[in-house]
Amino acid sequence: MRICGVVLFVGALGLAGGAAASPSNPTPTRPDMSLPLEGTITNPDWVRRPTGDEVANYYPHVAELVGLNGHVTMECAVNAQGATENCTVLSEKPVGLEFGKAALAMSGLFRMKPMTLDGAPVAGAHVIIPIGFLSPQYIDQGGAPPSSTASEAPPSPRALQLARQLVEHGTASDRAATYVEQARQSIENQLGGQSLTEQEQAAIDAFVSAITASVPAFEEIWAIAYARRFTEAQLTELDAFFQSTTGQAWIQRGSLQDDDSRAMTAKVWESARDTGEQAFCKAYDCGAQVPHPAPSAPAP
């Protein structure tokens, strides 16, 4: 590892040690080991850094709920044991979402190989630590689950038309529309009534607006699920059945939640997070964001 501002000092000691002792060139004395090092460590030899699970534990709550990423640069002093202390935030993007606070809270999880001078550990140098916060939703994404019907033939145009009519009758549309309010209510419940910064409220609003815009995609998912599961004749009968009281009750039980529809739903939610992030970052400086894979549109 290398310390800026210390390399020349150490080199000078070596040159002085090789010179003959004289009144004009006295024998150099050993440096006071109680004095701290000065300078910034540019290539730290980390013994320990926070794990992905530990970063997730400190992830700012609102940012995690709406899938926002962040980046923090902090500066810390390094003690004789190689632990970081007295850390300060140099930069934080986006601001107002507590990424800087999270970085400081987990600063004690960093430890580097102790710096030494003449073989003795010393303290006093500083280290610059960049920390990227990648939303757990993206870390755990790993691609959509395999489609259970990917090898099946797509539904006929007539079947898809009949299925869309079921959605238009309100069998699935009503449920899709309620997702918007459910999303906001779920976030509010998880926050437990805590006060929000301007940026936190804006992030939530952007996410909920993205969910609102995704309602047509949710409706299409249900239509495709209907069209894949039932024949045209069955869809015609279901059209009448779903308008009955019994049919409405059956729909409310979520009987069409197969693996394929869940995979497509996950893609829509992922798209909503990306859309919400883009809207938020137009109004607030998010810095360089980690690119996310674009979700595939559900295909009939």
Side-chain angles (χ1 to χ4, degrees):
M1 64 184 69
R2 184 166 62 88
I3 304 181
C4 295
V6 177
V7 175
L8 293 179
F9 172 69
V10 175
L13 287 177
L15 290 174
S22 68
S24 61
N25 186 21
T27 301
T29 59
R30 187 175 186 274
D32 186 348
M33 301 307 295
S34 66
L35 295 178
L37 289 175
E38 295 181 355
T40 301
I41 301 169
T42 59
N43 188 24
D45 186 0
W46 293 112
V47 176
R48 188 192 190 287
R49 286 179 288 184
T51 65
D53 287 341
E54 288 171 335
V55 174
N57 289 337
Y58 285 94
Y59 210 97
H61 203 176
V62 172
E64 180 180 3
L65 289 174
V66 301
L68 272 174
N69 301 328
H71 187 274
V72 175
T73 300
M74 65 180 180
E75 181 177 10
C76 302
V78 182
N79 64 26
Q81 289 72 45
T84 54
E85 57 187 17
N86 300 325
C87 299
T88 58
V89 173
L90 300 180
S91 67
E92 171 187 8
K93 291 184 179 182
V95 299
L97 293 178
E98 298 193 341
F99 283 111
K101 182 178 179 180
L104 292 176
M106 65 181 187
S107 61
L109 299 176
F110 289 88
R111 185 177 295 273
M112 58 180 291
K113 186 176 180 180
M115 301 300 300
T116 60
L117 188 60
D118 281 3
V122 289
H126 287 73
V127 62
I128 306 297
I129 306 177
I131 302 176
F133 289 86
L134 184 61
S135 172
Q137 286 95 334
Y138 299 120
I139 294 175
D140 297 338
Q141 182 182 355
S147 172
S148 60
T149 57
S151 61
E152 297 179 8
S156 68
R158 174 59 178 165
L160 193 55
Q161 177 186 357
L162 290 168
R164 286 170 177 158
Q165 288 177 2
L166 298 182
V167 174
E168 291 174 1
H169 288 321
T171 55
S173 180
D174 289 345
R175 286 193 299 156
T178 62
Y179 272 22
V180 177
E181 181 56 31
Q182 288 176 352
R184 184 183 291 277
Q185 189 62 51
S186 174
I187 292 173
E188 291 178 356
N189 291 341
Q190 293 184 64
L191 293 176
Q194 74 178 62
S195 59
L196 302 176
T197 65
E198 171 192 330
Q199 293 86 347
E200 287 173 330
Q201 187 61 60
I204 292 172
D205 291 342
F207 176 65
V208 174
S209 295
I211 291 295
T212 304
S214 299
V215 168
F218 281 112
E219 294 175 338
E220 184 68 2
I221 287 172
W222 280 308
I224 293 171
Y226 281 126
R228 282 176 168 169
R229 178 164 295 189
F230 303 107
T231 66
E232 294 180 13
Q234 290 172 327
L235 287 168
T236 301
E237 295 177 359
L238 287 170
D239 187 9
F241 171 71
F242 285 154
Q243 295 182 66
S244 69
T245 302
T246 302
Q248 289 292 322
W250 188 84
I251 282 292
Q252 292 302 317
R253 293 199 300 269
S255 301
L256 294 178
Q257 289 297 308
D258 55 22
D259 289 342
D260 194 59
S261 61
R262 280 192 291 269
M264 290 189 292
T265 299
K267 290 181 181 179
V268 174
W269 278 98
E270 186 72 16
S271 177
R273 291 191 186 100
D274 286 346
T275 302
E277 178 183 65
Q278 293 167 12
F280 175 83
C281 292
K282 285 182 179 179
Y284 300 92
D285 184 8
C286 294
Q289 290 291 292
V290 179
H292 311 308
S296 304

